[in-house]
Amino acid sequence: MPGLSDTSSDPIAPRDDADGAVAPRRRRLEPDERRAQILACAIDMFGERPYAAVSTAELAQRAGVARGLINHYFGNKRDLYLAVVRRMVTLPKLDDMIVPIGTERERVEASVHWLLDTIAEHGSTWVKVTSHEGVGDDPEVQQILDQADDAAAERLLLMVGLADSARSAALRAMVRAYGGLVKVAGREWITRGTLTRPQVHELLADMLMTLVTESLPKVDRRR
């Protein structure tokens, strides 16, 4: 909606009215702040209910903005959902990460800890987005998830010390397969409550250790 201005505001320090009553002063949020506020509310709502049950009118009310601002910043509801998907699968910049060092087991343990922290940050929304819950077969969503799987595989290979392998394409494919286990285990932990985080950590660490010490070296030797 071109030309739509953001006149919504958030309360800050109180001030005295002419009659002596105290009323909150309000400041206008910058566009990036307002967009982030709407996105944060959308992340919460898409984690609470299926895609079809999320109303942009209710979202606007929760975010404290005019409904038109959702269209202004994101377009329609599907565009907003795509923004949520991108946010759920965005990895920290390499500069913001500490690549683990130490033994293979120590690197694996640190890598799994990082994976579970990533899942836990948004919990049920991450589970719903990565398992297509509620949105169905959407090619654009799938494309975002496929690209995210590739990026996560490269990042995990870096963290376990195998990023420079001459067979990196095959290794990435095997790590992407491991990513399927990560998603299922995350659902058992976050959504179903059938596994605790320590149990999921042990499962994923054991499987990743097997991948790093047995499966991946076999691929790397077949040149």
Side-chain angles (χ1 to χ4, degrees), residues 124-136 145 183 187:
S124 61
T125 309
W126 183 91
V127 171
K128 289 179 185 296
V129 162
T130 57
S131 60
H132 292 277
E133 289 186 22
V135 72
L145 295 179
K183 293 173 185 177
R187 184 165 65 248

Side-chain angles (χ1 to χ4, degrees), residues 24-43:
R25 278 206 309 255
R26 304 180 77 84
R27 69 180 178 89
R28 180 178 298 179
L29 291 182
E30 293 297 324
D32 286 348
E33 293 178 298
R34 180 61 71 196
R35 188 181 189 281
Q37 179 187 17
I38 295 170
L39 182 59
C41 288
I43 289 170

Side-chain angles (χ1 to χ4, degrees), residues 174-193:
M174 296 186 76
V175 175
R176 285 196 300 271
Y178 171 77
L181 174 62
V182 174
K183 293 173 185 177
V184 173
R187 184 165 65 248
E188 296 294 335
W189 164 37
I190 296 291
T191 303
R192 296 181 177 175

Side-chain angles (χ1 to χ4, degrees), residues 65-83:
V65 302
R67 183 175 178 180
L69 282 177
I70 295 177
N71 304 111
H72 175 64
Y73 287 118
F74 293 98
N76 57 27
K77 175 180 162 181
R78 179 177 175 276
D79 293 331
L80 175 59
Y81 183 75
L82 291 176

